[in-house]
Amino acid sequence: MDFIFDTHAHYNDKAFDEDRTALLDSFSESGILGVINCGTDIESSKKSIELSDQYDFMYCAVGFHPEDINKAGEKYIEQIKELSKNKKCVAIGEIGLDYYWVKDNKEEQKRIFTEQIILANELDLPVIVHSRDAHNDTLEILKKYKPKGVLHCFSGSVEVMKEVLKLNMYIGLGGTVTFKNARVPLEVAENLPPDRLLLETDCPYMSPVPYRGKRNQSTYISYVAEKIAEVKNLTKEEILTTANKNASELFRINL
Ligand code: NI
């Protein structure tokens, strides 16, 4: 059995409505050591907290995703701060910049991203960062505020990765490393020092081969670890053990 810590999941998603309880119940017997469920707005952050109340292995992150910032009211920072006081809340996330889906509100995205980083720093919590087609602006903000945290579902080049490592942040890798056209993610995996690696699903999305296109789940991280192990000339167990240790250190969770 593989021992897995999934640092980024969305089990509150409707894709899990039909069998959420059965699936999550099965995890304690399938080697899942921990899962961080990430909020994308207030409602999903509350649902993440609820899930973390229900399962010992479940932790939560609270925050506003760039695609959801239109839902952030005037007092959103106070709301996130209040939610973050939950004892299972281990990070502010997912937060960041996304110029792929939405390009016409860049300044607003940057403001909300920055305000949430400042909150995370104040609370001494790591951030879980989403960055899509926005690596320059993301790096600029991270360099300025220097939070602890991870670039999740990392889609940048090796050069961008090196900038992230200079900031002492982690790189989150998932299903994309197993895709047929995965040249850049595999280069990143190859060059990434093992002590900076986190594993994640981003489920229900980003299923690794052989489940590509289907609903993702934390146990499938085995396929991701296997692929990363292959390019790094390590064993799958070594990759999993190292990534679990990294997650435990960054999110201060005793495994
Ligand atoms: Ni996500």
Side-chain angles (χ1 to χ4, degrees):
M1 186 160 62
D2 292 333
F3 291 100
I4 287 166
F5 193 107
D6 181 357
T7 58
H8 194 113
H10 300 279
Y11 282 108
N12 56 291
D13 192 280
K14 60 180 184 316
F16 295 103
D17 279 355
E18 272 183 24
D19 60 346
R20 183 177 293 106
T21 308
L23 181 66
L24 294 177
D25 281 349
S26 74
F27 280 177
S28 37
E29 276 142 43
S30 42
I32 302 300
L33 301 177
V35 173
I36 300 176
N37 205 77
C38 297
T40 55
D41 58 11
I42 297 296
E43 197 195 330
S44 56
S45 294
K46 283 182 179 165
K47 284 199 177 137
S48 299
I49 292 176
E50 275 170 36
L51 284 170
S52 72
D53 285 340
Q54 286 165 24
Y55 296 92
D56 279 349
F57 63 78
M58 190 77 83
Y59 298 85
C60 58
V62 298
F64 268 96
H65 187 285
E67 282 175 67
D68 288 302
I69 57 169
N70 59 328
K71 293 187 235 164
E74 234 174 78
K75 298 214 178 292
Y76 88 95
I77 278 285
E78 282 89 341
Q79 289 176 294
I80 296 291
K81 188 175 182 176
E82 197 53 39
L83 294 174
S84 75
K85 288 177 184 162
N86 187 283
K87 62 178 192 316
K88 299 289 284 291
C89 177
V90 294
I92 299 296
E94 60 178 294
I95 64 175
L97 302 174
D98 193 320
Y99 299 164
Y100 180 82
W101 292 109
V102 206
K103 296 184 179 52
D104 60 357
N105 64 350
K106 289 186 182 177
E107 289 313 308
E108 189 69 354
Q109 287 196 38
K110 286 196 243 178
R111 177 176 71 83
I112 300 227
F113 180 36
T114 304
E115 287 172 352
Q116 294 184 95
I117 294 176
I118 293 170
L119 175 69
N121 286 348
E122 177 195 322
L123 299 168
D124 194 26
L125 284 172
V127 290
I128 296 174
V129 177
H130 170 106
S131 173
R132 190 162 185 203
D133 287 359
H135 297 311
N136 287 343
D137 286 356
T138 303
L139 277 175
E140 196 181 306
I141 293 171
L142 293 175
K143 279 177 188 164
K144 186 162 174 200
Y145 294 97
K146 299 190 170 55
K148 295 178 294 185
V150 55
L151 268 286
H152 115 82
C153 195
F154 186 73
S155 57
S157 61
V158 172
E159 284 65 40
V160 176
M161 176 198 84
K162 285 179 180 163
E163 294 299 308
V164 173
L165 296 179
K166 279 187 204 158
L167 295 166
N168 274 324
M169 293 181 78
Y170 292 79
I171 298 282
L173 294 178
T176 54
V177 299
T178 68
F179 295 174
K180 233 182 177 173
N181 54 354
R183 191 181 61 82
V184 176
L186 279 181
E187 271 172 24
V188 167
E190 205 181 332
N191 288 282
L192 181 65
D195 68 347
R196 296 283 112 185
L197 166 71
L198 295 181
L199 296 173
E200 62 168 69
T201 53
D202 204 12
C203 66
Y205 312 107
M206 295 291 173
S207 262
V209 174
Y211 295 103
R212 188 172 183 183
K214 306 225 170 72
R215 188 182 74 176
N216 201 358
Q217 63 181 59
S218 303
T219 50
Y220 297 170
I221 281 181
S222 293
Y223 299 99
V224 175
E226 202 167 349
K227 191 71 199 181
I228 296 173
E230 197 183 303
V231 296
K232 294 187 91 60
N233 281 319
L234 294 167
T235 65
K236 181 177 68 173
E237 285 67 31
E238 284 170 323
I239 291 294
L240 287 169
T241 307
T242 307
N244 294 345
K245 182 169 161 277
N246 297 341
S248 143
E249 281 171 8
L250 176 64
F251 298 109
R252 295 187 203 141
I253 294 167
N254 290 320
L255 292 182

Coordinates of all heavy atoms in Angstrom, one line a residue, residues 72-141:
A72 N -16.1 38.2 -3.5 CA -15.5 38.7 -2.3 C -16.1 40.1 -1.9 O -15.9 41.1 -2.6 CB -14.0 38.9 -2.5
G73 N -16.8 40.1 -0.8 CA -17.4 41.4 -0.3 C -16.4 42.2 0.4 O -15.2 41.9 0.5
E74 N -16.9 43.4 0.8 CA -16.0 44.4 1.5 C -15.2 43.8 2.7 O -14.1 44.1 2.9 CB -16.8 45.5 2.0 CG -16.4 46.9 1.5 CD -17.3 48.0 1.9 OE1 -17.3 48.3 3.1 OE2 -18.2 48.4 1.0
K75 N -15.9 42.9 3.4 CA -15.3 42.4 4.6 C -14.7 41.0 4.4 O -14.6 40.2 5.4 CB -16.4 42.3 5.7 CG -16.9 43.7 6.1 CD -17.3 43.7 7.6 CE -17.8 45.0 8.1 NZ -16.8 46.1 8.1
Y76 N -14.3 40.6 3.2 CA -13.9 39.3 2.9 C -12.7 38.9 3.7 O -12.5 37.7 4.2 CB -13.7 39.1 1.4 CG -12.3 39.4 0.9 CD1 -11.4 38.5 0.8 CD2 -12.0 40.8 0.7 CE1 -10.1 38.8 0.4 CE2 -10.7 41.1 0.2 CZ -9.8 40.1 0.1 OH -8.5 40.4 -0.3
I77 N -11.8 39.8 4.0 CA -10.5 39.5 4.7 C -10.9 39.1 6.1 O -10.4 38.1 6.7 CB -9.5 40.6 4.6 CG1 -8.7 40.6 3.3 CG2 -8.5 40.6 5.8 CD1 -7.7 39.5 3.2
E78 N -11.8 39.8 6.8 CA -12.2 39.5 8.1 C -12.8 38.1 8.1 O -12.6 37.3 9.1 CB -13.2 40.5 8.7 CG -12.6 41.8 9.2 CD -12.5 42.9 8.1 OE1 -12.5 42.5 6.8 OE2 -12.3 44.0 8.4
Q79 N -13.7 37.8 7.1 CA -14.3 36.5 7.0 C -13.3 35.4 6.9 O -13.4 34.4 7.6 CB -15.3 36.4 5.8 CG -16.5 37.3 6.0 CD -17.3 37.3 4.7 OE1 -16.9 37.7 3.6 NE2 -18.5 36.6 4.7
I80 N -12.3 35.6 6.1 CA -11.3 34.5 5.9 C -10.4 34.4 7.2 O -10.1 33.3 7.6 CB -10.3 34.9 4.7 CG1 -11.1 34.9 3.4 CG2 -9.1 34.0 4.6 CD1 -11.5 33.6 2.9
K81 N -10.2 35.5 7.8 CA -9.4 35.5 9.0 C -10.1 34.7 10.1 O -9.5 33.8 10.8 CB -9.1 36.9 9.5 CG -8.2 37.0 10.7 CD -7.9 38.5 11.0 CE -6.9 38.6 12.2 NZ -6.6 40.0 12.4
E82 N -11.4 34.9 10.2 CA -12.3 34.2 11.2 C -12.2 32.7 10.9 O -12.0 31.9 11.8 CB -13.7 34.8 11.1 CG -14.6 34.5 12.3 CD -14.0 34.9 13.6 OE1 -13.3 35.9 13.7 OE2 -14.2 34.1 14.6
L83 N -12.4 32.3 9.6 CA -12.5 30.9 9.3 C -11.1 30.2 9.5 O -11.0 29.1 9.9 CB -12.8 30.7 7.8 CG -14.3 31.1 7.4 CD1 -14.4 31.1 5.9 CD2 -15.3 30.3 8.1
S84 N -10.0 31.0 9.3 CA -8.7 30.4 9.5 C -8.4 30.1 10.9 O -7.4 29.4 11.2 CB -7.6 31.4 9.0 OG -7.5 32.5 9.9
K85 N -9.2 30.5 11.9 CA -8.9 30.2 13.3 C -9.2 28.7 13.6 O -8.8 28.2 14.7 CB -9.7 31.1 14.2 CG -9.2 32.5 14.2 CD -10.1 33.4 15.1 CE -9.6 34.9 15.0 NZ -10.7 35.8 15.4
N86 N -9.9 28.0 12.7 CA -10.2 26.6 12.9 C -8.9 25.8 13.1 O -8.0 26.1 12.4 CB -11.0 26.1 11.7 CG -11.5 24.7 12.0 OD1 -10.8 23.7 11.9 ND2 -12.8 24.6 12.3
K87 N -9.0 24.9 14.0 CA -7.7 24.2 14.3 C -7.2 23.3 13.2 O -6.0 22.9 13.2 CB -7.9 23.4 15.7 CG -8.9 22.3 15.6 CD -8.9 21.5 17.0 CE -9.7 20.3 16.9 NZ -11.0 20.3 16.3
K88 N -8.1 22.9 12.3 CA -7.6 22.1 11.1 C -7.3 22.9 9.9 O -6.9 22.4 8.9 CB -8.7 21.1 10.7 CG -9.2 20.1 11.8 CD -8.1 19.0 12.1 CE -7.9 17.9 11.1 NZ -9.0 16.9 11.0
C89 N -7.3 24.3 10.1 CA -6.9 25.1 9.0 C -5.4 25.3 8.9 O -4.8 25.8 9.9 CB -7.6 26.5 9.1 SG -7.1 27.6 7.7
V90 N -4.8 24.8 7.9 CA -3.3 24.8 7.8 C -2.7 25.8 6.8 O -1.5 25.9 6.6 CB -2.8 23.4 7.5 CG1 -3.1 22.4 8.7 CG2 -3.4 22.8 6.2
A91 N -3.6 26.5 6.0 CA -3.1 27.4 5.0 C -4.1 28.4 4.6 O -5.3 28.2 4.8 CB -2.6 26.6 3.8
I92 N -3.7 29.4 3.9 CA -4.6 30.3 3.2 C -4.5 29.9 1.7 O -3.5 29.9 1.1 CB -4.2 31.8 3.4 CG1 -4.2 32.2 4.8 CG2 -5.1 32.8 2.5 CD1 -5.6 32.2 5.5
G93 N -5.7 29.5 1.1 CA -5.7 29.1 -0.3 C -7.0 28.5 -0.7 O -7.9 28.3 0.2
E94 N -7.3 28.3 -2.0 CA -6.2 28.7 -2.9 C -6.4 30.1 -3.4 O -7.5 30.5 -3.7 CB -6.2 27.7 -4.0 CG -7.4 27.6 -4.9 CD -7.2 26.6 -6.1 OE1 -6.4 26.9 -6.9 OE2 -7.9 25.6 -6.0
I95 N -5.3 30.8 -3.5 CA -5.3 32.2 -3.9 C -4.3 32.4 -5.0 O -3.5 31.5 -5.3 CB -4.8 33.1 -2.7 CG1 -3.4 32.8 -2.3 CG2 -5.8 32.9 -1.5 CD1 -2.8 33.7 -1.2
G96 N -4.4 33.5 -5.8 CA -3.5 33.6 -6.9 C -3.9 34.5 -8.0 O -4.8 35.3 -7.8
L97 N -3.4 34.2 -9.2 CA -3.7 35.0 -10.4 C -4.0 34.0 -11.5 O -3.3 33.0 -11.7 CB -2.5 35.9 -10.8 CG -2.0 36.9 -9.7 CD1 -0.8 37.6 -10.3 CD2 -3.1 37.9 -9.4
D98 N -5.0 34.3 -12.3 CA -5.4 33.5 -13.4 C -5.8 34.3 -14.6 O -6.8 34.9 -14.6 CB -6.6 32.5 -13.1 CG -6.8 31.5 -14.1 OD1 -6.7 31.8 -15.3 OD2 -7.0 30.3 -13.7
Y99 N -4.8 34.5 -15.5 CA -5.1 35.3 -16.7 C -5.5 34.5 -17.9 O -5.7 34.9 -19.0 CB -3.8 36.1 -17.1 CG -3.3 37.1 -16.0 CD1 -2.1 37.6 -16.1 CD2 -4.2 37.5 -15.0 CE1 -1.6 38.5 -15.1 CE2 -3.7 38.3 -14.0 CZ -2.4 38.8 -14.1 OH -2.0 39.7 -13.1
Y100 N -5.7 33.2 -17.7 CA -6.2 32.3 -18.7 C -7.7 32.4 -18.9 O -8.2 32.6 -20.0 CB -5.8 30.8 -18.4 CG -6.3 29.8 -19.5 CD1 -5.5 29.6 -20.6 CD2 -7.4 29.1 -19.3 CE1 -5.9 28.7 -21.6 CE2 -7.8 28.2 -20.3 CZ -7.1 28.0 -21.4 OH -7.5 27.1 -22.3
W101 N -8.4 32.3 -17.8 CA -9.9 32.4 -17.8 C -10.4 33.8 -17.8 O -11.4 34.1 -18.4 CB -10.5 31.6 -16.6 CG -10.3 30.1 -16.7 CD1 -9.4 29.4 -16.0 CD2 -10.9 29.2 -17.7 NE1 -9.5 28.1 -16.4 CE2 -10.4 28.0 -17.4 CE3 -11.8 29.4 -18.7 CZ2 -10.8 26.8 -18.2 CZ3 -12.2 28.3 -19.5 CH2 -11.7 27.0 -19.2
V102 N -9.7 34.7 -17.0 CA -10.2 36.0 -16.8 C -9.0 37.0 -17.0 O -8.0 36.9 -16.3 CB -10.8 36.3 -15.4 CG1 -11.8 37.4 -15.5 CG2 -11.4 35.1 -14.8
K103 N -9.1 37.9 -18.0 CA -8.0 38.8 -18.2 C -8.3 40.2 -17.9 O -7.5 41.1 -17.8 CB -7.6 38.7 -19.7 CG -7.1 37.4 -20.2 CD -6.6 37.6 -21.6 CE -6.0 36.4 -22.3 NZ -6.8 35.2 -22.2
D104 N -9.6 40.5 -17.8 CA -10.1 41.9 -17.7 C -10.1 42.5 -16.3 O -10.5 43.6 -16.1 CB -11.4 42.1 -18.4 CG -12.5 41.3 -17.7 OD1 -12.1 40.5 -16.7 OD2 -13.7 41.4 -18.1
N105 N -9.6 41.8 -15.3 CA -9.6 42.3 -13.9 C -8.3 42.1 -13.2 O -8.2 41.8 -12.1 CB -10.8 41.7 -13.1 CG -10.6 40.2 -13.0 OD1 -9.7 39.6 -13.6 ND2 -11.3 39.6 -12.1
K106 N -7.2 42.2 -14.0 CA -5.9 41.9 -13.4 C -5.6 42.7 -12.2 O -5.0 42.1 -11.2 CB -4.8 42.2 -14.5 CG -4.8 41.2 -15.6 CD -3.6 41.4 -16.6 CE -3.7 40.4 -17.8 NZ -2.6 40.6 -18.7
E107 N -5.9 43.9 -12.2 CA -5.5 44.8 -11.0 C -6.3 44.3 -9.8 O -5.7 44.2 -8.7 CB -5.8 46.3 -11.3 CG -4.8 46.9 -12.2 CD -3.3 46.6 -11.9 OE1 -2.9 46.8 -10.8 OE2 -2.6 46.1 -12.9
E108 N -7.6 43.9 -10.0 CA -8.4 43.4 -8.9 C -7.9 42.1 -8.4 O -7.8 41.8 -7.2 CB -9.8 43.3 -9.4 CG -10.9 43.0 -8.3 CD -11.1 44.1 -7.3 OE1 -10.4 45.2 -7.4 OE2 -12.0 44.0 -6.5
Q109 N -7.5 41.2 -9.3 CA -6.9 39.9 -8.9 C -5.6 40.1 -8.1 O -5.4 39.5 -7.0 CB -6.5 39.1 -10.2 CG -7.7 38.5 -10.9 CD -7.2 37.5 -11.9 OE1 -6.3 36.7 -11.6 NE2 -7.8 37.4 -13.1
K110 N -4.8 41.1 -8.5 CA -3.5 41.3 -7.8 C -3.8 41.8 -6.4 O -3.1 41.5 -5.4 CB -2.7 42.3 -8.6 CG -2.0 41.7 -9.8 CD -0.9 42.6 -10.3 CE -1.2 43.1 -11.6 NZ -0.2 44.0 -12.2
R111 N -4.8 42.7 -6.3 CA -5.1 43.3 -5.0 C -5.6 42.2 -4.0 O -5.1 42.1 -2.9 CB -6.2 44.4 -5.1 CG -6.7 44.9 -3.8 CD -7.7 46.1 -3.9 NE -9.0 45.6 -4.3 CZ -9.9 45.1 -3.5 NH1 -9.7 45.0 -2.2 NH2 -11.1 44.7 -4.0
I112 N -6.5 41.4 -4.5 CA -7.1 40.3 -3.6 C -6.0 39.3 -3.2 O -5.9 38.8 -2.1 CB -8.3 39.7 -4.2 CG1 -9.3 40.9 -4.4 CG2 -8.9 38.6 -3.4 CD1 -10.7 40.7 -4.0
F113 N -5.2 38.9 -4.2 CA -4.1 38.0 -4.0 C -3.1 38.6 -2.9 O -2.8 37.9 -1.9 CB -3.3 37.8 -5.3 CG -2.1 36.8 -5.2 CD1 -2.1 35.7 -4.4 CD2 -1.0 37.1 -6.0 CE1 -1.1 34.8 -4.4 CE2 0.1 36.2 -6.0 CZ 0.0 35.1 -5.2
T114 N -2.7 39.8 -3.1 CA -1.8 40.5 -2.1 C -2.4 40.6 -0.7 O -1.7 40.3 0.3 CB -1.5 41.9 -2.7 OG1 -1.0 41.8 -4.0 CG2 -0.5 42.6 -1.8
E115 N -3.6 41.0 -0.6 CA -4.3 41.1 0.7 C -4.3 39.8 1.4 O -4.1 39.8 2.7 CB -5.7 41.7 0.5 CG -5.7 43.2 0.2 CD -7.1 43.7 -0.2 OE1 -8.0 43.0 -0.3 OE2 -7.2 45.0 -0.4
Q116 N -4.5 38.7 0.7 CA -4.6 37.4 1.4 C -3.2 36.9 1.8 O -3.0 36.2 2.8 CB -5.3 36.4 0.4 CG -6.8 36.7 0.2 CD -7.5 35.7 -0.6 OE1 -8.1 34.8 0.0 NE2 -7.4 35.8 -1.9
I117 N -2.2 37.3 1.0 CA -0.8 37.0 1.4 C -0.4 37.7 2.7 O 0.2 37.1 3.6 CB 0.2 37.3 0.3 CG1 0.0 36.5 -1.0 CG2 1.7 37.2 0.8 CD1 0.9 36.8 -2.1
I118 N -0.8 39.0 2.7 CA -0.5 39.8 3.9 C -1.2 39.1 5.1 O -0.6 39.0 6.2 CB -0.9 41.3 3.7 CG1 0.0 41.9 2.6 CG2 -0.9 42.0 5.0 CD1 -0.5 43.3 2.2
L119 N -2.4 38.7 4.9 CA -3.1 38.0 6.0 C -2.4 36.7 6.5 O -2.2 36.5 7.7 CB -4.6 37.7 5.6 CG -5.4 36.8 6.6 CD1 -5.7 37.7 7.9 CD2 -6.7 36.3 6.0
A120 N -2.0 35.9 5.5 CA -1.3 34.7 5.8 C 0.0 35.0 6.6 O 0.3 34.3 7.5 CB -0.9 34.0 4.5
N121 N 0.7 36.0 6.1 CA 2.0 36.4 6.9 C 1.7 36.8 8.3 O 2.4 36.4 9.2 CB 2.7 37.5 6.1 CG 3.4 37.0 4.8 OD1 3.5 35.8 4.6 ND2 3.8 37.9 4.0
E122 N 0.6 37.5 8.4 CA 0.2 38.0 9.8 C -0.1 36.8 10.7 O 0.2 36.8 11.9 CB -1.0 38.9 9.6 CG -1.6 39.5 10.9 CD -3.0 40.1 10.6 OE1 -3.2 40.7 9.6 OE2 -3.9 39.9 11.5
L123 N -0.8 35.8 10.1 CA -1.2 34.6 10.8 C -0.1 33.6 10.9 O -0.3 32.5 11.5 CB -2.5 34.0 10.2 CG -3.7 34.9 10.1 CD1 -4.8 34.3 9.2 CD2 -4.3 35.1 11.5
D124 N 1.0 33.8 10.3 CA 2.1 32.8 10.1 C 1.6 31.5 9.5 O 1.9 30.4 10.0 CB 2.7 32.6 11.5 CG 4.0 31.9 11.4 OD1 4.7 32.0 10.4 OD2 4.4 31.2 12.4
L125 N 0.8 31.6 8.5 CA 0.3 30.4 7.8 C 0.9 30.4 6.4 O 1.1 31.5 5.8 CB -1.2 30.5 7.6 CG -2.1 30.1 8.8 CD1 -3.6 30.4 8.6 CD2 -1.9 28.7 9.3
P126 N 1.1 29.2 5.8 CA 1.6 29.2 4.4 C 0.4 29.5 3.4 O -0.7 29.4 3.8 CB 2.0 27.7 4.2 CG 1.4 27.0 5.3 CD 1.0 27.9 6.4
V127 N 0.8 29.9 2.2 CA -0.2 30.1 1.2 C -0.2 29.0 0.1 O 0.9 28.4 -0.1 CB 0.0 31.5 0.4 CG1 -0.3 32.6 1.4 CG2 1.4 31.6 -0.1
I128 N -1.3 28.7 -0.5 CA -1.4 27.7 -1.6 C -1.8 28.6 -2.8 O -2.9 29.1 -2.9 CB -2.5 26.7 -1.3 CG1 -2.1 25.8 -0.1 CG2 -2.7 25.8 -2.5 CD1 -3.1 24.8 0.4
V129 N -0.8 28.6 -3.7 CA -0.9 29.6 -4.8 C -1.3 29.0 -6.1 O -0.7 28.0 -6.6 CB 0.4 30.4 -5.0 CG1 0.3 31.4 -6.1 CG2 0.7 31.1 -3.7
H130 N -2.3 29.5 -6.8 CA -2.7 29.2 -8.1 C -2.2 30.2 -9.1 O -2.4 31.4 -8.9 CB -4.3 29.1 -8.2 CG -4.9 29.0 -9.5 ND1 -5.4 27.8 -10.0 CD2 -5.0 29.9 -10.5 CE1 -5.9 28.0 -11.2 NE2 -5.7 29.2 -11.6
S131 N -1.4 29.8 -10.1 CA -0.9 30.8 -11.1 C -1.1 30.2 -12.5 O -0.5 29.2 -12.8 CB 0.5 31.1 -10.8 OG 1.1 31.9 -11.8
R132 N -1.9 30.8 -13.3 CA -2.1 30.3 -14.7 C -1.9 31.5 -15.6 O -2.6 32.5 -15.5 CB -3.5 29.7 -14.8 CG -3.6 28.9 -16.1 CD -4.7 27.9 -16.1 NE -4.7 27.2 -17.3 CZ -5.7 26.6 -17.9 NH1 -6.9 26.6 -17.2 NH2 -5.6 25.9 -19.0
D133 N -1.0 31.3 -16.6 CA -0.7 32.4 -17.5 C -0.4 33.7 -16.9 O -0.7 34.8 -17.4 CB -1.9 32.6 -18.5 CG -1.9 31.4 -19.5 OD1 -1.1 30.5 -19.4 OD2 -2.8 31.4 -20.4
A134 N 0.2 33.7 -15.7 CA 0.4 34.9 -14.9 C 1.7 34.8 -14.1 O 1.8 35.4 -13.0 CB -0.8 35.1 -14.0
H135 N 2.7 34.0 -14.6 CA 3.9 33.8 -13.8 C 4.6 35.0 -13.4 O 5.1 35.1 -12.3 CB 4.7 32.7 -14.5 CG 4.1 31.4 -14.6 ND1 3.4 30.8 -13.6 CD2 3.9 30.6 -15.7 CE1 2.9 29.6 -14.0 NE2 3.2 29.5 -15.3
N136 N 4.8 36.0 -14.3 CA 5.5 37.2 -14.0 C 4.9 38.0 -12.9 O 5.6 38.3 -11.9 CB 5.7 38.1 -15.2 CG 6.6 37.5 -16.2 OD1 7.4 36.6 -15.9 ND2 6.6 38.0 -17.5
D137 N 3.6 38.2 -13.0 CA 3.0 39.0 -11.9 C 3.0 38.2 -10.6 O 3.1 38.8 -9.5 CB 1.5 39.4 -12.3 CG 1.5 40.5 -13.4 OD1 2.6 41.0 -13.7 OD2 0.4 40.8 -13.8
T138 N 2.7 36.9 -10.7 CA 2.7 36.1 -9.5 C 4.1 36.2 -8.8 O 4.2 36.4 -7.5 CB 2.4 34.6 -9.8 OG1 1.2 34.5 -10.5 CG2 2.4 33.8 -8.5
L139 N 5.2 36.0 -9.5 CA 6.5 36.0 -8.9 C 6.8 37.4 -8.3 O 7.4 37.5 -7.3 CB 7.6 35.7 -10.0 CG 7.8 34.2 -10.3 CD1 8.8 34.1 -11.4 CD2 8.3 33.5 -9.0
E140 N 6.4 38.5 -9.0 CA 6.7 39.8 -8.5 C 6.0 40.0 -7.2 O 6.7 40.5 -6.2 CB 6.1 40.8 -9.5 CG 6.6 42.2 -9.4 CD 6.0 43.2 -10.4 OE1 6.0 42.9 -11.6 OE2 5.4 44.2 -9.9
I141 N 4.8 39.6 -7.0 CA 4.1 39.7 -5.7 C 4.7 38.8 -4.7 O 5.0 39.2 -3.5 CB 2.6 39.4 -5.9 CG1 2.0 40.5 -6.8 CG2 1.9 39.3 -4.5 CD1 0.5 40.3 -7.2

